[in-house]
Amino acid sequence: MLLIFIKQGEKRVILSTKGFLWSSPEGAREFLVPTRITKTNEDGNECHNPTFYALQQSPQQPKQLLICSGGVDRYFQLAKCFRDEDGRKDRQPEFTQIDMEMAFVSWGLHESRDIQSAWRIGGSEIRDMVEALIQQIWQKVEGITLPASFEVMTYHEAMTRFGSDKPDTRFSLEITDITHLLPGRQHSLFQNSMEVLEIIAVRKSGEPQFLGASRECQPDSTTERITVTNRTLTSWLSNATIHASLKELAPEEILHINEKLQLAPGDDVWLARRSRIPKGGSTALGAVRLRLSEIAQARNDFVIPTEPHFLWITEFPLFTKADSDKHFLAKGRWSSTHHPFTAPMWQDIDAMYRGDVESVRGQHYDLVLNGVEIGGGSVRIHDAIMQDFIFSQILKLDEAEKEPFRHLLHALQCGAPPHGGIALGFDRLMAMLCNTQSIRDVIAFPKTATGTDLLFRSPAPISNEILFQYGIQPRATT
């Protein structure tokens, strides 16, 4: 379906891409749809192996192909997406995205932006369009006037300050790296192991509303909580078990750290170690920070602000080995943090070709509201040679794994404009506007956390007779 309409002199295209695609290793686990259609081998004989469609994880390849075609320079649609993911409270196997794509987006700092802007990637046109959309929604639905532009924070800053790639900035309790405050030997040990020592200080003078929650919250195996008292003022850190070398700290060295951190008797300190380069979506202290907020609210010690805090997170690592959801596809290889079509930051292109994979940042952006990701997108790769290099040399896809992307590579070879896009979670936006914690509350006939439909009693077994029509055999039982 294609609809074109003109509003205030600007053309808008509404498209509906199809959901039956070819299974491809883009990131999430797919739902497969068996078909009775048969294929022929290279020698012309009929192949008896069953064939399948894959329900789209997102319309990523179709929308890029539309832009590459030259017939569409910008579009949006309400897209149904399907992902066979493990059950989580904020996920559904079937969900809706407000999906947008635009040609001729910037590929770096846009000339219209302040040179000091924290948005140092391309796609500023996407940012402007999304912010205008969100501002209109909140003005019309909530009667709230949002800031002219939303705050921007890099992935590194979000992970080091808040321990999360989708930080809730409505409360403080920021994380502090204290590795540089340690004496020479301890500092060297952390440096050599590529780790840092970080803390959350819950001070009587600064964060009294979280002190009761801190005493109630129990540490796990990756964290430690210490209460500073008059008796332990010069020994609290040497009593810590988070790292053996801390036992050697002298009282005067701990006093120096107390002074720098403005610690006093009655304060709580949470400690944890993490890798020097932040990885994944959260850290041990990031989880502690959220638990302290939840407990403080439950105790009625803290009332979280109601005004919306929108935040862009940018400069994610382009590649990762820390995403457990992608291990089944990666099998020990690098995987794409976002998806394999995300462009690197232009500053990191040389590093990528040199093989310094871990240091490469992507032109990927997430929109976060009150600690919840409500959308994500990126500037795309529009160069076929670069795209093939990432498939072959970094992700290490073999020829069979690259085959579902041949049509996209061909389209890029024919010439494609710089382009980018974003997908906003429609269900999640509705949940936020309805002030509910779960997207199941705003979806008709939602699935349970385990992916089952209690009304239609699906998924359900199919008879062997029907399976036979599709060339599928049931598992043998022993």
Side-chain angles (χ1 to χ4, degrees), residues 47-323:
C47 177
H48 294 288
N49 290 331
T51 57
F52 299 85
Y53 296 107
L55 293 179
Q56 64 179 6
Q57 305 173 36
S58 73
Q60 187 59 46
Q61 291 192 64
K63 67 182 182 180
Q64 284 193 243
L65 289 167
L66 285 167
I67 297 297
C68 292
S69 73
V72 175
D73 63 350
R74 61 178 62 194
Y75 99 108
F76 78 91
Q77 71 169 315
L78 288 175
K80 282 292 184 183
C81 302
F82 307 86
R83 295 178 188 173
D84 187 7
E85 298 179 309
D86 294 333
R88 302 178 189 176
K89 67 177 182 179
D90 62 341
R91 298 283 179 94
Q92 284 279 285
E94 178 182 1
F95 56 96
T96 306
Q97 291 181 344
I98 306 173
D99 197 63
M100 294 174 269
E101 195 81 4
M102 182 187 297
F104 300 105
V105 301
S106 56
W107 228 74
L109 183 63
H110 196 272
E111 60 184 11
S112 67
R113 293 282 179 188
D114 184 349
I115 195 67
Q116 301 299 322
S117 171
W119 188 280
R120 301 181 296 189
I121 60 176
S124 57
E125 300 83 355
I126 303 290
R127 175 191 178 184
D128 293 341
M129 179 177 62
V130 170
E131 288 182 353
L133 173 64
I134 295 295
Q135 287 160 0
Q136 289 185 48
I137 291 173
W138 253 256
Q139 182 66 57
K140 291 181 178 181
V141 177
E142 298 288 328
I144 295 175
T145 302
L146 297 176
S149 61
F150 301 158
E151 184 183 352
V152 178
M153 187 180 297
T154 67
Y155 167 84
H156 185 272
E157 181 183 358
M159 291 290 286
T160 53
R161 287 179 59 192
F162 301 100
S164 173
D165 64 355
K166 46 180 181 294
D168 191 339
T169 55
R170 291 175 296 172
F171 61 98
S172 55
L173 293 179
E174 289 195 23
I175 299 167
T176 303
D177 177 0
I178 66 168
T179 314
H180 66 287
L181 298 178
L182 298 175
R185 180 175 180 276
Q186 286 76 15
H187 183 270
S188 296
L189 288 171
F190 277 97
Q191 288 281 93
N192 294 338
S193 63
M194 296 291 290
E195 288 187 319
V196 298
L197 178 64
E198 57 185 13
I199 70 158
I200 292 178
V202 186
R203 302 174 182 86
K204 278 176 57 177
S205 59
E207 297 85 14
Q209 67 272 40
F210 296 108
L211 205 52
S214 178
R215 306 284 164 81
E216 186 176 321
C217 184
Q218 296 301 311
D220 59 20
S221 60
T222 62
T223 60
E224 185 174 1
R225 182 193 63 217
I226 297 176
T227 299
V228 179
T229 65
N230 285 309
R231 184 178 178 182
T232 63
L233 192 59
T234 60
S235 62
W236 66 270
L237 191 50
S238 58
N239 292 335
T241 60
I242 202 77
H243 197 281
S245 69
L246 298 177
K247 296 185 181 301
E248 302 170 9
L249 293 177
E252 59 272 15
E253 293 169 336
I254 297 176
L255 278 175
H256 172 71
I257 294 172
N258 291 349
E259 181 181 348
K260 292 294 183 180
L261 299 177
Q262 300 180 337
L263 294 177
D267 295 344
D268 273 7
V269 182
W270 288 82
L271 299 98
R273 298 154 59 177
R274 66 161 173 83
S275 61
R276 188 191 309 170
I277 300 174
K279 299 176 181 179
S282 64
T283 67
L285 288 188
V288 167
R289 182 176 178 270
L290 293 178
R291 289 206 306 273
L292 293 180
S293 172
E294 291 169 359
I295 294 172
Q297 292 177 66
R299 290 166 53 94
N300 294 320
D301 293 340
F302 172 61
V303 178
I304 200 155
T306 57
E307 61 268 16
H309 283 228
F310 285 94
L311 173 69
W312 289 104
I313 304 296
T314 64
E315 301 183 28
F316 287 81
L318 190 55
F319 307 104
T320 182
K321 289 185 177 180
D323 189 342

Side-chain angles (χ1 to χ4, degrees), residues 78 95-98 374 423-431 442:
L78 288 175
F95 56 96
T96 306
Q97 291 181 344
I98 306 173
I374 62 170
L424 299 175
F426 179 76
D427 309 302
R428 196 156 297 170
L429 270 175
M430 292 302 100
V442 296

